[in-house]
Amino acid sequence: VLCNSGGLQEIPLKLLPPTVEHLSLTRNDFPIIKSDSFAGLRFLKKLSLDGNNISLIKPFAFRGLPRLRDLSIQHTPLETVSPFAFAGLQNISAIFLSYNKIKKVESYAFAGTINLKQLVLAHNPLLKLESNAFTGMTEIDRITLPSGIRTLEADCFNGLDTLGHLQLAFMDLRHLKGGIFRGLTNVNYLSIQESDLGNIEGDAFNDMTFVRNLNILNNKIDSIQWLNFTWEQHVGHLRFQGNHILEIPRAETLLVEVEKLTVIQNHFPCDCHVHSLLDGPLANGSMIHFVSKNYCISPLEVNGLPMSSIDIDSIGRCQEEVTRGNLEASKDSSSSAQRLSTFCSYLNLMLYFLKLLRIT
């Protein structure tokens, strides 16, 4: 059924045959999609609402469409994906929401939607993903997000279970804060790339589990406060490649327990902190391989040079590292002296008892 460019101001549900399978209502003039707007169209497989004046989609707008496979709402002034707007779509294959004015995806917008092949949100001025934006979605092949996202709230991916492919690209973040990936589980491919990540804060990657491939590619990273991957998270291959890191993280703030680790083509400061970097887990146990595959970003005179081309040993350690090393050495020395003193006291006591036995 084609009802295109008809000037419709509301969805003509009562005029539609209940057996309709393909329905196109493009370039009309209805501003709101109400709850249960298509109830009763149980045979509907494809629905296009492109080019309408849609500004609001109410909760459960598409309830009662058990056979719906393709849903397209594109080229509209829609700014917000409201809670439960696309909830309960059980067998849908694709939801196309490109070329709208979407700035925000609110909590539980897609709750209960399963078996989705692709959710496309590209080409929207989306600046913020709210907490629980994708909660309740399961068995999703691919989510395509637009570039330019500036805020990822904690738990924005919480409850997203069994995801094939998620790419977060061209973001402009002040920080990658804790809890963003909390609750994200069973992911085949997650890529964070071509973005300004600002500061990676503590527990940013905590509580994400069963991620087969995690790529952190070609980003600018101001600092890494804490990078934590444990065996309990079951991360397969972590690829840390092509990033520009402005401040080297301390070795004790890095815990990288993954099945496979690749750290290549990154740019690190070649300053006094480089020794901590080479002693830490990112070097993956091979300083020679690490310096041959990564580059210097500073000081200016070595910018862009392979780390292997500079004399690492000629770079002095930072004062705090020297101080910490001296303290540890002092502790070891004190401990050794204490053990020696204890042994000597024990030996003197034994000699005293032997002398007493000889007298008696």
Side-chain angles (χ1 to χ4, degrees), residues 243-302:
N243 301 287
H244 286 66
I245 299 91
L246 304 186
E247 182 179 323
I248 291 178
R250 300 192 308 274
E252 61 268 23
T253 66
L254 303 176
L255 179 62
V256 184
E257 295 176 344
V258 297
E259 293 179 13
K260 182 180 179 181
L261 175 63
T262 301
V263 183
I264 58 173
Q265 298 173 7
N266 300 286
H267 291 72
F268 294 96
C270 291
D271 56 17
C272 63
H273 294 284
V274 73
H275 301 284
S276 176
L277 175 66
L278 297 176
D279 291 339
L282 290 181
N284 205 19
S286 176
M287 185 189 79
I288 295 175
H289 181 267
F290 184 89
V291 298
S292 68
K293 298 295 183 180
N294 292 281
Y295 301 87
C296 296
I297 193 172
S298 63
L300 184 61
E301 58 269 20
V302 296

Side-chain angles (χ1 to χ4, degrees), residues 17 58 63 68 75 84 107 123 138 173 178 180 184 195 198 223 233 242 248 258 280 293 300 354:
K58 290 197 170 183
R63 183 163 49 191
L68 187 64
H75 301 284
F84 302 102
S107 302
H123 304 289
T138 58
L173 307 179
I180 286 176
L184 180 63
S195 296
S223 67
Q233 291 178 263
I248 291 178
V258 297
K293 298 295 183 180
L300 184 61
L354 287 173

Side-chain angles (χ1 to χ4, degrees), residues 9-236:
Q9 295 185 353
E10 61 181 22
I11 296 169
L13 180 60
K14 294 181 180 180
L15 301 178
L16 296 172
T19 56
V20 63
E21 294 187 2
H22 292 182
L23 176 59
S24 179
L25 296 171
T26 63
R27 298 186 300 280
N28 283 287
D29 198 32
F30 41 84
I32 298 175
I33 302 179
K34 300 177 182 179
S35 300
D36 301 308
S37 284
F38 302 91
L41 303 181
R42 299 184 60 82
F43 295 92
L44 189 62
K45 295 180 180 179
K46 185 174 183 178
L47 174 60
S48 177
L49 301 171
D50 297 348
N52 283 287
N53 192 32
I54 299 169
S55 59
L56 176 63
I57 301 175
K58 290 197 170 183
F60 302 101
F62 305 98
R63 183 163 49 191
L65 301 175
R67 293 177 174 82
L68 187 64
R69 297 293 182 268
D70 294 330
L71 172 59
S72 180
I73 303 175
Q74 303 184 88
H75 301 284
T76 79
L78 182 67
E79 293 188 0
T80 300
V81 182
S82 303
F84 302 102
F86 296 93
L89 292 168
Q90 297 292 311
N91 297 300
I92 194 162
S93 296
I95 300 176
F96 298 100
L97 297 174
S98 300
Y99 299 101
N100 296 299
K101 305 297 182 183
I102 297 172
K103 297 179 181 178
K104 184 167 58 172
V105 177
E106 295 187 330
S107 302
Y108 305 102
F110 303 93
T113 294
I114 62 175
N115 297 322
L116 181 63
K117 298 298 182 184
Q118 55 180 328
L119 169 61
V120 183
L121 285 158
H123 304 289
N124 282 289
L126 182 61
L127 301 178
K128 181 180 181 181
L129 287 181
E130 292 194 355
S131 298
N132 302 302
F134 300 104
T135 294
M137 297 185 75
T138 58
E139 302 288 344
I140 312 300
D141 277 3
R142 179 183 291 261
I143 295 177
T144 303
L145 295 171
S147 59
I149 293 175
R150 294 184 180 178
T151 303
L152 297 175
E153 286 194 348
D155 297 303
C156 61
F157 298 107
N158 198 348
L160 183 55
D161 188 351
T162 312
L163 173 64
H165 186 285
L166 175 61
Q167 179 174 294
L168 300 171
F170 302 105
M171 298 183 294
D172 185 12
L173 307 179
R174 293 181 60 186
H175 42 234
L176 199 62
K177 59 185 180 181
I180 286 176
F181 299 105
R182 182 166 47 226
L184 180 63
T185 186
N186 295 313
V187 182
N188 182 57
Y189 180 91
L190 171 60
S191 185
I192 304 167
Q193 61 187 71
E194 278 86 32
S195 296
D196 186 347
L197 301 183
N199 302 311
I200 297 181
E201 297 185 356
D203 70 8
F205 293 97
N206 281 18
D207 302 318
M208 62 186 298
T209 55
F210 296 98
V211 179
R212 183 174 297 176
N213 296 283
L214 174 58
N215 291 343
I216 303 176
L217 309 175
N218 305 320
N219 302 290
K220 183 179 83 68
I221 301 171
D222 294 341
S223 67
I224 301 175
Q225 293 184 6
W226 183 262
L227 194 63
N228 185 39
F229 296 101
T230 66
W231 292 121
E232 289 76 15
Q233 291 178 263
H234 301 280
V235 176

